[in-house]
Amino acid sequence: MSTSAVASTDLVRLARAALVGLGLSLLASGPLMARVDLNTASQSQLESIRGIGPSMSKRIVEERKRNGPFVSPQDFARRVSGVGPKN
């Protein structure tokens, strides 16, 4: 599997499995696991999540600033390009 396919798969898992309820929190990777709330996290906090780099974290923060908090995993996937299954 190519690196881009792995990253895409990680983002799909991220959107489906890690966005829990309306809390929309994710587990950041690293030596210690920590929850990251998509509605309050900074760009650098978002980048601590496997599969989220600088451009994705920037899109998340900008979308949240423009249109308010994400209300569901589906809302998050709809509003942030590059999240969810590839078409």
Side-chain angles (χ1 to χ4, degrees):
M1 189 180 294
S2 72
T3 304
S4 62
V6 170
S8 176
T9 301
D10 288 341
L11 289 176
V12 170
R13 279 192 210 122
L14 185 76
R16 285 188 184 149
L19 298 175
V20 179
L22 295 179
L24 296 171
S25 57
L26 304 172
L27 289 176
S29 59
L32 299 175
M33 300 296 265
R35 290 207 179 269
V36 176
D37 185 333
L38 292 175
N39 284 320
T40 60
S42 67
Q43 191 170 341
S44 62
Q45 288 170 321
L46 291 167
E47 289 172 22
S48 71
I49 300 167
R50 182 177 168 196
I52 296 183
S55 63
M56 173 66 71
S57 63
K58 183 178 179 180
R59 286 195 305 266
I60 293 168
V61 170
E62 287 176 351
E63 175 58 33
R64 190 179 66 205
K65 284 180 182 177
R66 271 193 308 269
N67 296 304
F70 303 106
V71 297
S72 69
Q74 296 81 10
D75 181 47
F76 175 74
R78 181 181 53 79
R79 289 172 44 191
V80 180
S81 66
V83 174
K86 269 189 163 177
N87 293 329

